[in-house]
Amino acid sequence: MTDFELVKVVPNERQIAHQSLEFYAFAHFTVNTYTDKEWGEGTEDPAIFNPVKFDADQWVDAVKAAGMKGLLLTCKHHDGFCLWPSKYNTHNISASLYKNGKGDIVREVADACRKGGIKFGVYLSPWDRNSKLYGTESYNDYFINQLTELLTEYGEIFSVWFDGACGEGPNGKKQVYDWARYYQCIRELQPNAGISVCGPDVRWCGNEAGDTRESEWSVVPARLSMAERVAELSQQSDDAEFRERKITSSDRDLGSREALKNETDLIWYPAEVNTSIRPGWFYHASEDDKVRSLDELLHIYYNSVGGNGTFLLNLPPDRDGLIHENDVKRLKEIGAYLRKTFAVNLAENAEFMASSTETGCEIEHAKAAGYDIYYKAKDGDTAVDVTITFPKPVLATHVVLQENIRLSQRIENFDIIAENEAGEQKVVYSGTVVGYKKIAKFDAVDVKKLIIRIKDSRVCPTLSFVGVY
Ligand code: FUL
């Protein structure tokens, strides 16, 4: 692959919309919430599901407090229990005590998201330990029927999340999934929805612990999107150890020029980092004091949203049907931190200069986010200095960089140099890739000038946004 071929690989509109959400929530809720398990057997009595204080608005308020812009619900987990009154089985909410069998959790959550102005997405587990059809061709029809219910009766869906975990059904058989048919169904019914994990639009980052890559590339080999490969890497048994496992060393570099040199089929396949706010995906009272610290969650935020990925943070609703107060407290802290940190862009009234500019793509264009106008260096220039001069010295701790990903991901290596009023320079940050977004955080420095020194780029670099905080 030549460098020019690498940058021919670009995102589609669906992927751009998905990535711009940046930070969104997962909610794992099913019979497991009542059995204290992580993986249900499929034999649970639906009557145990009874969230007496369930309040979808409380969930949405908690999600929004953290600054998250969407919510994905486990409409059916591996145990097969459906949180909506599916016409295609009896193992669903109609058989529970919730609202005397007249409830529909999917509807209440979808409506609350819409009312609260956030996106709604569905997790539908392909693996089903309850369905008698599992392991037969008829299961594919059953799955399509359930997908169709979710994609036609609950308004706009931003994401369909297909888990890679896959075991045996109640009759001991494994299922051969008709992925092509599932994808076609989604494209027809919800053309704007991204298909994640076992799907072509959004890539599972490869672990559940919140571990991230130093250089996360969105241009990777197409074979990474094969559902069978994802299934192999996914959780194979209900073990807590898996949730703590990190990215393996052989999986650390998926997209460098070196890693791609012998690849012939590449795709745009951006990473999503999914992890839980507690050790488990589902609620366990014993984990009430194990909500992850603000520092740990911010670390993941900086390395996912600020490292060319998205951040899908799981919140486990409790048996009452509420997000526990300890989790709510943490979510509010995250939101308060992010709002305060990124409140004022110090670069707004600074002067921008670039050492190479393609006419019409001036560096001033990077003062406002968006891909219609942007900065681009001259063809052939792969090393460029962008200099930001402030009217008077400012105290800076963060630089946010965004490439125009419509023109692919190009930057491979950069330094950020701070210059004080006396003209003394110091490198405050060294980074690798930028992509959709890079958040560079450094110790507070007084700066009169900031130089973003792009040292290497696959072809001439672009910037759609540069912010200083
Ligand atoms: C895994 C599942 O087995 C877990 O229960 C959870 O849903 C997680 C997001 O994906 O593969």
Side-chain angles (χ1 to χ4, degrees), residues 8-9 22 67 80 82 153 167 169 173-174 198 207 242 254 258 266 268 275 288 297 356 405 412 417 443:
K8 272 194 205 140
V9 184
E22 300 189 351
C82 298
E153 289 173 29
K173 287 194 212 150
K174 277 217 176 189
C198 286
N207 79 109
F242 183 85
L254 302 179
E258 178 61 23
L266 300 178
W268 185 271
T275 194
D288 281 350
L297 293 166
S356 164
I405 53 171
E412 292 197 331
I417 298 152
D443 292 339

Side-chain angles (χ1 to χ4, degrees), residues 26 28 38-39 77-78 123 161 163 165 208 235 274 281-282:
F26 226 163
H28 272 67
E38 280 289 312
W39 276 9
H77 201 251
H78 311 329
Y123 167 113
W161 215 92
D163 203 316
E208 298 185 346
Q235 189 165 358
N274 68 309
W281 293 101
F282 288 93

